[in-house]
Amino acid sequence: RQRAVRRGGGGGGGGGRVPGVNGHFVPDPFVAPALAAKENAVELSGISRAHWEATWSDAEVRGAQAAHVVGTWGATGAIAEAPLLERGEGVYLYDRAGKQYLDWTSQAICTNLGYDVPAAVVEAVTAQLVKLPMVYGGLGVTEIRCRMAALLAELLPGDIEGFIFPSSGNEANEAAVRIARRYTGKHKILTQYRSYHGGSATTLAATGDFRRWFAEVGATGFVKMFNPTPFKFQWGEDEAAATATALAALEEQILLEGPNEIAAVMLESVVGAGGVLVAPEGYMQGVRALCDKYDILLVADEVMVGFGRTGKFWGFQHYPGVLPDLVTSAKGLSAAYLPLSVVGMRRPIKEFFETTPLGWGATYQAHPVALACAYECVKHVLDNDIVQHAAALQPVMEQEIAAIVAKHPSVRQGRALGLFGCLDLVDRHGHYVQPLQGPSPEPVLKFRQALAENGIYGLVRPPYIHCAPPLVINEHELRDGFARVDKALDVLDRELGLAPP
């Protein structure tokens, strides 16, 4: 029962106590809910001995897949019949039945050096595993971490000379956002609608394509800007006019959002998943100038295109005079042999964090084994002129894409930069054959099947077909890949009613 208090004790009238009034609050009694107990012990002696067997049958593998494997991004059922891959060689993959596939998109635009792992990479990884397999970067420093940072400082232009090493492109972009916000004291990040920056809550909110719908609720401060290459309209009748209008619109947006609120503009140097979109002439230079004018950082997302994909070491080098404040990359850094990424920062930012906490970290940041792998991969790229090789094959890419555009009414246009290319697929009315987020109509499903039957493996994300094989591909293999895609496009033309059955 409430204990009575003296009247007037809290600002009331006369003296005395009134039982049950203005006393110490008595809550409702707490009754603990009953536990719906579940068994949580595991009898270790019951673990299947199959895990100690050297090989499993196809049936055993597929059984374990059906029972326990969960897909990512799409529904798990989408990978129910995905190839059971067993080995790789050069630019080819082989399934357990021995069928050969040409890796047409370097898987997720990442297996840049193909499947013949350079001997120096194997030796370095093995040596690091034996000598010192793990160091937490917040407690200790390794020689390989310092070597990798020094090499990247030489490979990046200007005063981009400070580096951290997360484990994925997503983590690198997340860290870059954190760094930009902490360095500037501002919160907003401008990104483009046709973009992809990663799969975490932060980087999906930064992303512009449909995948941000999975996670943007709750993330704050991300403002979308239109690309200079929109879906449904043109900024101008030619590149010069489009660039001028797109930049004017961006400046208007900066003014309305508030320059004092914007930490950074984050752009893919070449839009990757959104269709291999190269900014029109003068656009990136204009963005850099606007960032300088309004004291905003420029972040170059090089996760896909860094380390030679476009025929230059860095994608932003296609835009003379443009030096980002922060650069992120991954994929090609280690050729996807081991997970690793990088954030590079200019000298003033590095110096700021000499005495100010960075505010970002991770257990596997600067993992020594991954760094040993990446160090040798980057040296291999340099020693074997991989970047120049990608540039030399661009005319072949252009020639083959032009032939496909001329032949197939289901292909509106194509783009190629180094060994980074893309085709735009359209229906009989000249519209994109499907939205990027799907669903795929029956003709597109038949086209996917035809690609697989012709031994083409990789990302198929209609209305785009990416052409981004490993950078070690030779001209014969490249032309063979286009011939395989050409046969699959014959099927798409027929299924769309654009060619005789």
Side-chain angles (χ1 to χ4, degrees):
R1 295 180 58 83
Q2 278 193 335
R3 180 174 296 174
V5 298
R6 186 180 302 276
R7 280 188 180 181
R17 297 176 182 273
V18 178
V21 179
N22 292 333
H24 182 66
F25 180 79
V26 178
D28 208 33
F30 170 72
V31 179
L35 172 67
K38 305 290 183 184
E39 181 59 61
N40 65 0
V42 174
E43 182 53 59
L44 299 183
S45 63
I47 300 296
S48 171
R49 298 309 300 173
H51 296 293
W52 283 261
E53 295 175 0
T55 60
W56 283 11
S57 69
D58 287 1
E60 288 172 318
V61 173
R62 289 297 193 190
Q65 176 186 351
H68 308 296
V69 173
V70 178
T72 57
W73 289 123
T76 298
I79 61 169
E81 301 299 325
L84 282 177
L85 298 174
E86 187 169 61
R87 66 185 181 92
E89 182 180 325
V91 297
Y92 298 101
L93 292 161
Y94 298 84
D95 67 18
R96 288 167 66 105
K99 181 176 174 61
Q100 182 200 74
Y101 299 87
L102 174 55
D103 184 1
W104 195 235
T105 64
S106 302
Q107 299 207 35
I109 326 293
C110 59
T111 54
N112 283 14
L113 299 182
Y115 300 97
D116 296 332
V117 182
V121 174
V122 177
E123 292 167 6
V125 167
T126 303
Q128 189 67 54
L129 273 171
V130 171
K131 184 178 181 181
L132 185 60
M134 170 61 186
V135 170
Y136 171 57
L139 291 175
V141 178
T142 58
E143 178 180 337
I144 191 61
R145 179 179 179 183
C146 300
R147 278 177 170 259
M148 187 79 250
L151 177 57
L152 287 171
E154 295 179 49
L155 287 169
L156 279 153
D159 62 346
I160 302 172
E161 56 188 40
F163 302 95
I164 61 172
F165 298 99
S167 298
S168 67
N170 163 62
E171 271 195 310
N173 284 333
E174 175 122 7
V177 168
R178 186 86 50 82
I179 289 166
R181 285 172 167 169
R182 287 187 56 74
Y183 177 72
T184 64
K186 299 185 284 186
H187 188 64
K188 291 182 181 179
I189 308 290
L190 268 60
T191 60
Q192 294 180 330
Y193 276 109
R194 298 182 77 172
S195 70
Y196 175 72
H197 296 290
S200 71
T202 294
T203 54
L204 265 187
T207 290
D209 77 22
F210 72 96
R211 284 170 286 188
R212 80 178 190 279
W213 304 340
F214 294 126
E216 67 181 340
V217 174
T220 64
F222 293 97
V223 179
K224 295 297 175 291
M225 50 192 275
F226 282 103
N227 299 63
T229 49
F231 278 112
K232 292 290 187 180
F233 70 95
Q234 292 183 330
W235 291 105
E237 293 301 318
D238 55 35
E239 282 205 349
T243 294
T245 306
L247 289 172
L250 175 57
E251 182 166 29
E252 178 99 352
Q253 191 169 15
I254 289 171
L255 292 170
L256 294 174
E257 291 291 340
N260 293 334
E261 303 293 325
I262 301 170
V265 174
M266 183 162 70
L267 304 177
E268 293 175 272
S269 299
V270 177
V271 174
V276 186
L277 304 174
V278 181
E281 185 174 354
Y283 179 79
M284 292 295 280
Q285 290 88 341
V287 173
R288 174 72 269 184
L290 285 172
C291 287
D292 291 339
K293 179 178 179 179
Y294 293 108
D295 194 24
I296 296 168
L297 297 183
L298 177 61
V299 182
D301 179 344
E302 295 261 338
V303 170
M304 278 193 181
V305 299
F307 300 94
R309 168 60 57 186
T310 65
K312 291 186 181 292
F313 212 96
W314 306 104
F316 66 79
Q317 291 175 322
H318 289 282
Y319 313 112
V322 173
L323 185 68
D325 299 295
L326 293 164
V327 177
T328 64
S329 197
K331 299 182 185 280
L333 171 60
S334 65
Y337 296 143
L338 287 174
L340 191 70
S341 62
V342 63
V343 181
M345 62 195 77
R346 293 181 67 180
R347 185 181 302 127
I349 302 174
K350 176 184 179 295
E351 291 176 347
F352 176 82
F353 289 112
E354 291 287 341
T355 55
T356 301
L358 187 74
W360 182 90
T363 300
Y364 300 130
Q365 194 276 144
H367 194 287
V369 179
L371 282 167
C373 171
Y375 191 55
E376 294 303 326
C377 283
V378 175
K379 291 195 293 181
H380 182 85
V381 167
L382 294 170
D383 290 341
N384 292 273
D385 294 328
I386 299 295
V387 180
Q388 292 80 0
H389 179 68
L393 285 177
Q394 180 173 324
V396 178
M397 293 275 286
E398 293 171 341
Q399 183 185 74
E400 293 288 343
I401 289 175
I404 281 177
V405 173
K407 176 183 175 182
H408 294 283
S410 60
V411 181
R412 175 192 292 157
Q413 60 195 348
R415 293 165 295 283
L417 191 64
L419 280 169
F420 204 24
C422 188
L423 306 172
D424 293 348
L425 303 182
V426 294
D427 61 20
R428 61 190 304 168
H429 305 293
H431 300 144
Y432 279 128
V433 73
Q434 70 167 72
L436 186 59
Q437 68 269 20
S440 292
E442 188 64 24
V444 173
L445 297 177
K446 295 287 183 63
F447 171 63
R448 288 176 180 269
Q449 182 180 350
L451 286 169
E453 290 172 352
N454 282 281
I456 287 291
Y457 178 90
L459 291 176
V460 181
R461 303 185 69 245
Y464 311 122
I465 297 298
H466 286 76
C467 314
L471 304 186
V472 295
I473 198 168
N474 62 40
E475 181 177 341
H476 171 74
E477 293 165 336
L478 183 59
R479 292 190 187 277
D480 173 57
F482 277 108
R484 299 182 189 207
V485 173
D486 176 64
K487 291 178 182 178
L489 285 168
D490 287 337
V491 173
L492 181 61
D493 288 343
R494 290 196 298 270
E495 293 294 328
L496 290 171
L498 295 169

